[in-house]
Amino acid sequence: MINNLKAIMLVEETASYNMYAKTGAALLEDGEVVLWYVGFIEDGDEVSYFAFNMHRSPAPENAQLRIDVARDYLQSYSVI
């Protein structure tokens, strides 16, 4: 069962690591949107978990922005 979930969540496979992630969003009462990108990275025997969220005004570009910003953080901390 866990292998099926990992197959669905796999977003990047490299020689160094595999990244598994899921996006999500929710409309808040004030009209803003909370967006998230959560997952984990397997690098050999090491696993790093991450959870990123942001509050924004609704806009189509936010779908990709949450992923890009999360990846920037992961790169800046040498996780990927």
Side-chain angles (χ1 to χ4, degrees):
M1 174 123 156
I2 190 74
N3 289 335
N4 292 338
L5 182 58
K6 286 173 73 172
I8 292 167
M9 291 180 63
L10 182 63
V11 295
E12 185 175 0
E13 188 172 17
T14 73
S16 302
Y17 64 85
N18 290 342
M19 176 188 267
Y20 304 88
K22 177 71 178 92
T23 59
L27 183 61
L28 302 174
E29 288 181 10
D30 64 2
E32 294 284 300
V33 180
V34 62
L35 303 114
W36 58 85
Y37 193 55
V38 298
F40 61 98
I41 294 136
E42 292 181 333
D43 183 358
D45 291 335
E46 291 190 30
V47 179
S48 299
Y49 299 91
F50 65 91
F52 175 79
N53 74 65
M54 63 184 191
H55 291 208
R56 309 280 292 190
S57 296
E61 62 270 11
N62 290 337
Q64 186 61 43
L65 180 63
R66 65 183 152 196
I67 295 168
D68 295 341
V69 172
R71 289 184 57 82
D72 287 346
Y73 276 105
L74 292 168
Q75 288 172 339
S76 71
Y77 287 99
S78 301
V79 177
I80 60 172

